[in-house]
Amino acid sequence: MKILITAGPTYERIDPVRFIGNYSSGKMGFALAETCLAKGHEVILIAGPVKLTLSHPNLKRIDVESAQQMYEAVMENFPTCNGAIFCAAVADFTPETVATTKIKREKDDLVIRLKPTHDIAAAAGAIKQDNQFMVGFALETNEEEAHALDKMRRKRLDFIVLNSLNDKEACFGYDTNKITIYKASGEKLEYPLKPKVEVAQDILTQIEML
Ligand code: C5P
């Protein structure tokens, strides 16, 4: 298969030297890419700003910075793929205007007005063909299951991988993750805390069963 994977954070520029970002390391997305490549699949890895390297003859890596750039790269490449795994922590909002010069400390306060970004997974879901699969991630702090199920339906995902912020040593920056998979078919699969490479294998196993 040819699999598109989004990974890492996005940076939304405020001025030439500042941005709004998040703590995503990209490790889960890169682990997924590595696992897919090891199993003989082709991968298009669309990565936000991360400090990770990966090389393989069947890997095409596209580095992006902002949510808008990630959106454009996904919309261009998704139609050529058998499916996609949306692992990136995409900014939901971006500054309405980007200052062309460094913002000075002149006033008592500073207001930055934000506008929504594209929901990349939902946009891909809208153009998804019946023979394409889509997998997403959810990171929730409350009502985890209800929110995850809602996202799965809204973004037209075949399954969603929930990782909870309540789990120690799971998520951002760690090499381990603890996931629950909710499938569109109604199935729920709970896994123990594992290295991200093994989590990636569990996810790929479920993709290959679709
Ligand atoms: O709605 P929420 O951001 O929690 O959904 C998470 C899922 O949607 C992840 O799979 C993430 O990669 C994807 N997403 C996206 N574009 C956005 C926001 C989230 O592709 N702007």
Side-chain angles (χ1 to χ4, degrees):
M1 288 193 289
K2 188 169 164 190
I3 303 174
L4 184 149
I5 300 172
T6 68
T10 65
Y11 285 0
E12 308 303 320
R13 277 182 197 220
I14 297 169
D15 71 13
V17 295
R18 301 185 182 97
F19 60 85
I20 298 171
N22 63 68
Y23 292 118
S24 171
S25 63
K27 283 178 182 172
M28 191 63 241
F30 275 64
L32 277 160
E34 211 177 320
T35 303
C36 291
L37 291 162
K39 282 259 206 139
H41 301 295
E42 252 183 87
V43 171
I44 299 183
L45 178 61
I46 301 176
V50 293
K51 294 188 187 71
L52 297 171
T53 55
L54 187 63
S55 75
H56 191 283
N58 292 337
L59 171 71
K60 178 181 169 191
R61 175 171 173 173
I62 302 171
D63 287 303
V64 298
E65 183 179 282
S66 65
Q68 178 63 27
Q69 290 167 355
M70 188 174 279
Y71 167 77
E72 286 167 17
V74 168
M75 296 314 268
E76 188 183 330
N77 288 280
F78 179 61
T80 71
C81 295
N82 297 91
I85 310 172
F86 298 93
C87 199
V90 186
D92 290 319
F93 291 92
T94 192
E96 207 167 64
T97 54
V98 181
T100 51
T101 55
K102 191 179 165 195
I103 298 171
K104 294 279 180 290
R105 189 194 178 97
E106 280 164 354
K107 299 178 255 170
D108 289 339
D109 63 358
L110 172 68
V111 176
I112 299 172
R113 200 174 164 81
L114 306 175
K115 61 180 182 188
T117 55
H118 291 285
D119 184 326
I120 300 170
I127 58 162
K128 172 184 139 42
Q129 304 293 307
D130 288 344
N131 58 0
Q132 284 181 302
F133 72 82
M134 296 218 333
V135 172
F137 278 72
L139 178 63
E140 306 295 339
T141 52
N142 63 303
E143 293 182 57
E144 300 177 307
E145 183 164 324
H147 283 139
L149 291 174
D150 176 57
K151 278 171 197 176
M152 178 170 69
R153 291 183 195 115
R154 222 166 1 96
K155 303 181 195 227
R156 296 187 62 207
L157 306 171
D158 294 280
F159 66 82
I160 191 154
V161 181
L162 173 72
N163 28 69
S164 167
L165 265 179
N166 302 325
D167 287 311
K168 218 173 149 274
E169 294 183 37
C171 302
F172 289 156
Y174 284 100
D175 290 319
T176 48
N177 202 0
K178 186 171 178 295
I179 62 159
T180 305
I181 289 179
Y182 294 94
K183 293 188 167 187
S185 58
E187 212 180 333
K188 175 181 174 180
L189 305 165
E190 280 177 282
Y191 298 86
L193 186 75
K194 292 178 182 198
K196 283 184 174 170
V197 194
E198 287 176 32
V199 173
Q201 280 158 2
D202 291 335
I203 293 168
L204 185 56
T205 300
Q206 292 306 316
I207 288 172
E208 287 174 340
M209 281 166 64
L210 287 171

